[in-house]
Amino acid sequence: VQLQAFGGGLVQAGGSLRLSCAASGRIDSYFMGWFRQAPRKEREFVIVSGRSGAIPYLSDSVKGRFTISRDYAKKMVYLQMNGLRPEDTAVYYCAVGGVYTSGHYYPDYWGQGTLVTVSS
């Protein structure tokens, strides 16, 4: 499976942005999610949607602000980010497949990143 993420950009604090990720194959039977990596920090989990769109799991840092959705026909997954904060500045990566267990998501495939910059 190949993934193409896009939609990053510069946004002011408090604003919203929607990231998109296009998959080359069917996505309905896979976990799909997003990670991010801030400057000088390790990559961290953001959110994952269970198989067939089951209840998503989110990092505490984005609860109440970020949501994930899928368009199965278009083989797309989206990350809607509201109430953005400067600390959300990072390169965001979409991911697919793998497993989610014990609060951790281990994808099989990664897309390239898209940069989100939140100005204060």
Side-chain angles (χ1 to χ4, degrees):
V1 176
Q2 293 183 328
L3 304 171
Q4 179 80 27
F6 53 95
L10 176 63
V11 62
Q12 289 188 331
S16 298
L17 203 61
R18 188 178 82 158
L19 304 183
S20 302
C21 180
S24 62
R26 291 182 61 180
I27 63 173
D28 50 307
S29 61
Y30 293 103
F31 288 99
M32 289 199 75
W34 293 86
F35 289 74
R36 66 185 181 185
Q37 186 168 15
R40 297 174 297 281
K41 292 188 177 181
E42 293 186 352
R43 188 176 300 186
E44 64 171 355
F45 166 76
V46 176
I47 191 169
V48 64
S49 171
R51 296 184 181 92
S52 300
I55 297 174
Y57 304 94
L58 301 85
S59 165
D60 288 343
S61 62
V62 304
K63 281 182 179 177
R65 302 188 298 124
F66 290 14
T67 57
I68 188 170
S69 61
R70 305 191 196 195
D71 184 325
Y72 294 98
K74 295 181 179 179
K75 295 182 286 185
M76 297 284 292
V77 63
Y78 304 99
L79 178 65
Q80 179 65 44
M81 305 183 292
N82 300 325
L84 283 162
R85 305 166 180 168
E87 56 263 38
D88 294 318
T89 294
V91 176
Y92 284 72
Y93 299 87
C94 59
V96 68
V99 297
Y100 179 84
T101 181
S102 302
H104 297 280
Y105 177 38
Y106 304 95
D108 289 329
Y109 304 99
W110 295 87
Q112 92 295 349
T114 185
L115 176 63
V116 173
T117 303
V118 184
S119 62
S120 57

